[in-house]
Every structure is written in structure tokens, then in C-alpha cells.
Amino acid sequence: MMPSKVVLLAIILRCGGIRVDPPEEIKIIDSGHLGHLEMTWTPPASLIHMQECPIRYQLEYYNTYRQSWTIIKTIHRTYSDQFDLMKDVQVRVYTLLSGPCTNNTWIRSTNYTEVVQNPPSTGLQDSGVESFGCVFHNMEKTICMWKKSSKSPTSSQLYLYYWYTELEKTEECPDYITKNGVRRGCNFTEKPLPDFTDVNFCVNGSSPEGPLKPTYMSIQIQNYVKPARSDKPHLQTLKGAPLKLHWMKPHGKIPGRCLEYEVEHTRVDPDGNHELQRIPTMLTNHMVPPAGNNERNCFKVRSKLNKYCAMGSFWSAWSHTTCH
Ligand SMILES: *[C@@H]1O[C@H](CO)[C@@H](O)[C@H](O)[C@H]1NC(C)=O
Ligand SMILES: *[C@@H]1O[C@H](CO)[C@@H](O)[C@H](O)[C@H]1NC(C)=O
């Protein structure tokens, strides 16, 4: 730390007292896009007429989804990203100065300007929905589900809103899923959501006692795929030869190269002892040494997207069982 302070001091003296001040003011602009916020700031007054030396900014904000600080260096005075509106939004900006004023090294302002925005305190205590989650079934339709809070009034009504960049404004769920008259989920079959795009969701609600606490979520649906169940695997058996199991990828548009599988092999000996083994594989076949006499071998498979195609995935349901 010390040497850089010394350098800075030397430069201030040499450059006739140029001080690098932090930006004047930071604003957080919420256009109602469910957590997509724009941060803007103004240059420090002391540098506003600075012609000969380039100015940049170092933006730091706490990313509530990644749970870490994001640091951006930019010449612009604005930046947008996704925030969880139910958590504090914390943004800091430093000024950076270079050119002849600083002997061509980048000097950062000693201080930063900061803004912290607390979540809105509206909404009945603990009334927000729980376990919100979406599943992109076989890459064909997205269904999002949630659980109503047990602490929310019985006569409350729930709403789901969503937004992504191509939409001008938030839209309400096209097709609610209800159970016993309570909204439990939303079906996007009729209005498919885009993949590789942040899709922001908000589930909020109203009740005679007041509004419910909103719940926010931002996801990219390609990371929430659940492949369809595979057809029953096929077993090829030749006396004395290994058992050869093979199966087809699930029907639908998930590319075969995106799938990985798990085979569950159950071996039952004549005494009725079970031995269960789960074998991960990228292939659509599996070989097992020849079966012993009176031994029963059963197989089923399931699939999910591999890490080359998605950051996450759900396992499909197990196929039906094939036995020998
Ligand atoms: C400016 O920096 C250069 C090298 O980075 C150095 O050689 C030179 O002495 C510096 N000039 C002054 C006035 O500090
Ligand atoms: C729920 O959120 C949407 C989108 O932000 C908003 O338009 C609506 O007024 C909210 N409803 C309640 C009951 O808070």
C-alpha cells in the first residue's frame, strides 16, 4: 500500500496539484424490469473540464446472484446488470486518471462514491412464496412452480410477472396452474421463453390485509432442462457372451451430444440378495460380463444434460426396467 501512496503524492506535487476525486454522484435506475438495474454516475467536478487526460471509472457492485463483487473498468458512465431486489444493492465507483497529468500511469481516486439501496419494506411479514423454480421440460416447454407461504392470508391472490430484454415491459403469466383454487405455477407452453437470455421473474400477491412480499428470480432456461424419460433399454443376450444393453436418446430436440446417462444395474442372486450399481456414461450402451446361472439382471437408465451444453440440469425420470 505505502509505495503507491508515495507515488501518488509525488505526482500530485509534480502535476501542480491534480487530485483524482471519486465520481460526484451515483444513481440506480429501476425501469420496472424485475431486477435489471442501470447504474449511472457523474464525473467529479474537479475533472469535468479535463481535456488532456483520459478518465475512466472502476465500478464495483455486489452481485447478489453470484454472491461476489463484480469489478468493471469502463470509459462509460453507465452500466446495467441483474440484481435481486429483495437484497441490498451496493454499488461503488472510483475515478481513474491517466495521461500527462499522471506521467501516463493510471491513478485511482483514493476514495469511492457509494450508494446502497435497501429492499423495499412493503409486504406482510413472511408472506412471500417459497421454493420458486422452473423446469424446461425436454427443451420444449417451461413450467415454473412455487409454494404459497403458510403465513400468507388464505384469501390472497398470487401473480407471476416476467421480463427479458426483447420485451418492452413485464408480462403476466400466460397460463396459471392452480390447485384447490390457489395459483401454484405458470405454464409457458403457449408463450415460449428464450434460452441463453436472462429471464426475470417476480411472484407477488395481494390480500385484504395488504400486499404480499414479492419473490424475485433470474434464470437462463437452458440450465434447467429435464430430459424426457428414455424408452425401455434393449438387452442383447447371447449365451456365454457379455450382456449388451443399449438405448435411444430421449425423443425430442435435445441433441444426443448434450446428454449423459446413468445406468442402474440390479443383480439378484438365487438367494435373493440384491446388488445395486449405478454407472455413469456418455454412451448409449453398456456391457456387463456374462450373467451367472440363475442370476437375474435388471437395468434402467436416465439422462441429463452434460456440462458441455448446460451449467445445470435435472435428471429425467427413470426408464422402465429391462430384466434378464
Ligand atoms: C515518468 O515515467 C517514466 C517511466 O515510467 C520515468 O522514466 C520518468 O522518470 C517519469 N517522469 C517523471 C517526471 O516522474
Ligand atoms: C406485482 O408486480 C408487478 C410487476 O412489477 C406490478 O405491476 C404489480 O402491481 C404487482 N402487484 C402487486 C399486488 O404487488
Side-chain angles (χ1 to χ4, degrees), residues 22-29 38-42 58-60 77 90-94 112-116:
E24 209 70 356
E25 187 194 13
I26 308 177
K27 277 205 199 101
I28 296 176
I29 300 164
E38 189 188 348
M39 301 159 265
T40 67
W41 52 91
T42 46
Q58 178 171 325
L59 166 70
E60 303 186 349
R77 290 183 212 158
Q90 197 175 354
V91 182
R92 297 169 176 174
V93 188
Y94 293 89
Y112 52 77
T113 305
E114 184 180 47
V115 60
V116 179

Side-chain angles (χ1 to χ4, degrees), residues 217-231:
M217 187 83 164
S218 178
I219 66 166
Q220 296 203 354
I221 59 165
Q222 79 279 1
N223 295 326
Y224 295 82
V225 174
K226 179 176 178 170
R229 175 211 292 257
S230 292
D231 289 341

Side-chain angles (χ1 to χ4, degrees), residues 86-198:
M86 292 315 280
K87 307 224 173 91
D88 280 355
V89 175
Q90 197 175 354
V91 182
R92 297 169 176 174
V93 188
Y94 293 89
T95 309
L96 303 170
L97 189 69
S98 182
C101 320
T102 65
N103 195 17
N104 294 310
T105 54
W106 283 101
I107 300 292
R108 194 180 78 176
S109 57
T110 322
N111 298 320
Y112 52 77
T113 305
E114 184 180 47
V115 60
V116 179
Q117 178 182 289
N118 306 118
S121 54
T122 52
L124 301 169
Q125 185 87 36
D126 297 327
S127 62
V129 298
E130 292 153 13
S131 322
F132 180 91
C134 301
V135 179
F136 188 17
H137 291 275
N138 212 32
M139 283 191 172
E140 279 152 18
K141 62 171 183 179
T142 307
I143 291 183
C144 300
M145 301 293 287
W146 58 81
K147 279 207 199 101
K148 181 176 179 282
S149 160
S150 56
K151 303 223 175 78
S152 62
T154 14
S155 56
S156 41
Q157 179 63 290
L158 297 169
Y159 307 91
L160 175 138
Y161 289 87
Y162 66 103
W163 179 84
Y164 49 87
T165 325
E166 291 78 41
L167 293 183
E168 214 164 273
K169 56 183 184 59
T170 58
E171 296 199 0
E172 195 180 345
C173 169
D175 182 12
Y176 284 108
I177 298 166
T178 58
K179 195 179 167 195
N180 303 326
V182 177
R183 289 177 174 173
R184 287 282 327 267
C186 180
N187 183 341
F188 288 93
T189 308
E190 299 303 319
K191 281 194 159 184
L193 298 172
D195 55 5
F196 296 97
T197 299
D198 287 332

Side-chain angles (χ1 to χ4, degrees), residues 32 34 157 159 161 170 202-206 211-212 214 216:
L34 312 179
Q157 179 63 290
Y159 307 91
Y161 289 87
T170 58
C202 169
V203 182
N204 60 13
S206 57
L212 309 187
Y216 293 94

Side-chain angles (χ1 to χ4, degrees), residues 67-86:
Q67 297 194 355
S68 61
W69 286 86
T70 297
I71 300 176
I72 307 281
K73 286 185 182 164
T74 174
I75 56 169
H76 301 291
R77 290 183 212 158
T78 172
Y79 196 80
S80 299
D81 202 358
Q82 188 57 38
F83 291 85
D84 181 350
L85 295 181
M86 292 315 280

